Amino acid sequence: MDRNSPHRRRLILSLSALAMATVVGAAHAADPVKVGVLIPGSKSDKGWMESGYTGLQQAEKEFGGKIKVQMIENINYADMEQALTNLASKNDLVIGIGGQTQAAVFKVAKRFPNKKFSIVGGNQGESAPNIAGYDVKQAQIAYVAGAAAAMLSKNGAVSYVGGMEIPSIVNAGKEFGNGARAINPQIKYVENYTGDFDNVSKSKEATLAAIAQGADVHYHILNLGLRGMEQAAKEKGTHIIGSYTDRCGSDPLYVAYSITGVGYQVHYAIAQTVAGAWKPGYKAFGLAMGPEASDMTICGASAEQKAKLQQIKKDIMDGKIKVLEG
């Protein structure tokens, strides 16, 4: 073929265009998924927020260059909508860590219909085509934690301190009491709410009040407010059942841990998005999703204690023990 022929020139141009399209397509395929994460509290609170942050770190380690993360931390309730708007304008997936982000997520998601939103701690009810709500089922594991607390209490009295007095937190408190009474029908149960997940002085005051009534094992749904519970327990020689992550052996103040897979759900949202399998709608996690999603550990548990907890978890999953939503 004549190198100067029109046909040859067209062939070269066609091949060049194909090569360029291939390069552009490969570059496009390699673009990372942009993930925006709102952590309303502190990522080092030993609780919900830290668990969520740990899940984010695990996702970054696993997916490497496949994702690019923007995180906003320590945001007041009044500023959540603005923070979420910032994240939604720059990212493909926005994750709100905590049910307290839900109202703001639903407002912002309407303005960004082509962006994906996941709420870790989302409740069943309101829905939108670009929002996934992941229910941690705190009430389930709170029931199991109540049973563990009753097994561990020497005084026959246990307590619970919750932050905001919203349905999911109140329901968890009720089920903690129910679980304790399942082991010891005569147990004394003290329940308090501070109105703030992060208020250290209020949670200390609430814990001291419970200790004054005999409580020697405490459970919580708090963020930084947990520091106040720790202070009270140390001063009075009582103990705490921790939440979200198993840290047995790290602090003698803690005698057990409930695992509530906040980080597991953060990782799940990112993994589903990377795989192109992300779906909107309500999804229940809890005990049915396995020990990474929900579990209970007594530090140094006896065989009898382990067997009792295992049976309780099975009975909840089988529906023999019915617990509240949340």
Side-chain angles (χ1 to χ4, degrees):
M1 183 188 295
D2 184 349
R3 67 171 57 190
N4 295 315
S5 71
H7 180 70
R8 188 174 188 279
R9 286 198 297 272
R10 285 197 298 272
L11 178 62
I12 291 171
L13 287 171
S14 296
L15 290 171
S16 298
L18 179 61
M20 184 171 288
T22 302
V23 170
V24 171
H28 181 73
D31 285 347
V33 174
K34 295 179 181 178
V35 180
V37 181
L38 176 61
I39 298 180
S42 168
K43 67 177 184 290
S44 56
D45 66 356
K46 287 189 180 179
W48 182 288
M49 302 299 160
E50 185 169 333
S51 175
Y53 180 63
T54 299
L56 177 61
Q57 288 180 304
Q58 290 170 343
E60 287 184 292
K61 183 177 179 181
E62 179 178 341
F63 297 113
K66 292 181 180 180
I67 64 172
K68 183 178 180 180
V69 173
Q70 178 189 4
M71 187 183 78
I72 298 177
E73 181 191 9
N74 280 321
I75 291 295
N76 293 326
Y77 188 81
D79 298 324
M80 281 186 196
E81 190 173 338
Q82 182 179 346
L84 287 164
T85 299
N86 180 312
L87 292 172
S89 67
K90 301 173 183 176
N91 295 283
D92 307 305
L93 168 69
V94 177
I95 303 173
I97 299 182
Q100 64 266 49
T101 69
Q102 181 159 310
V105 166
F106 271 91
K107 284 184 180 180
V108 173
K110 291 177 182 177
R111 304 203 298 270
F112 296 90
N114 296 321
K115 301 299 179 76
K116 300 177 177 67
F117 295 81
S118 290
I119 304 167
V120 176
N123 298 320
Q124 194 168 13
E126 190 177 1
S127 63
N130 60 335
I131 298 176
Y134 304 146
D135 189 347
V136 299
K137 292 289 183 183
Q138 287 183 106
Q140 283 187 349
I141 205 61
Y143 184 102
V144 187
M151 294 178 202
L152 294 165
S153 175
K154 295 178 181 178
N155 293 351
V158 298
S159 77
Y160 169 81
V161 179
M164 292 176 68
E165 200 167 351
I166 56 179
S168 60
I169 308 303
V170 172
N171 287 353
K174 291 182 184 301
E175 293 302 349
F176 178 79
N178 289 338
R181 285 186 285 268
I183 297 298
N184 177 5
Q186 305 305 316
I187 201 161
K188 186 173 185 178
Y189 171 50
V190 184
E191 182 178 341
N192 283 299
Y193 298 89
T194 64
D196 187 330
F197 293 111
D198 297 310
N199 192 304
V200 174
S201 61
K202 285 185 177 180
S203 61
K204 180 177 181 179
E205 182 182 335
T207 306
L208 287 172
I211 292 171
Q213 297 180 64
D216 61 350
V217 179
H218 320 291
Y219 188 58
H220 72 93
I221 295 183
L222 298 166
N223 295 331
L224 279 178
L226 175 59
R227 303 290 189 271
M229 178 176 279
E230 289 178 331
Q231 292 169 11
K234 283 178 182 176
E235 288 177 13
K236 300 298 182 180
T238 58
H239 292 90
I240 300 172
I241 293 179
S243 295
Y244 312 113
T245 304
D246 179 358
R247 293 189 175 91
C248 278
S250 64
D251 187 342
L253 193 64
Y254 288 83
V255 289
Y257 290 91
S258 68
I259 291 92
T260 308
V262 177
Y264 177 80
Q265 293 179 50
V266 171
H267 182 278
Y268 178 89
I270 295 170
Q272 290 291 295
T273 304
V274 170
W278 183 94
K279 293 180 181 179
Y282 170 82
K283 183 174 179 62
F285 282 72
L287 291 168
M289 289 290 284
E292 286 186 288
S294 188
D295 204 1
M296 185 72 224
T297 300
I298 292 178
C299 303
S302 67
E304 182 183 3
Q305 288 171 333
K306 288 180 181 179
K308 281 185 179 179
L309 292 179
Q310 193 62 33
Q311 187 61 52
I312 290 168
K313 289 186 290 183
K314 185 177 185 303
D315 287 346
I316 291 173
M317 286 188 283
D318 290 345
K320 293 179 182 178
I321 296 175
K322 298 190 181 299
V323 299
L324 296 166
E325 291 296 324

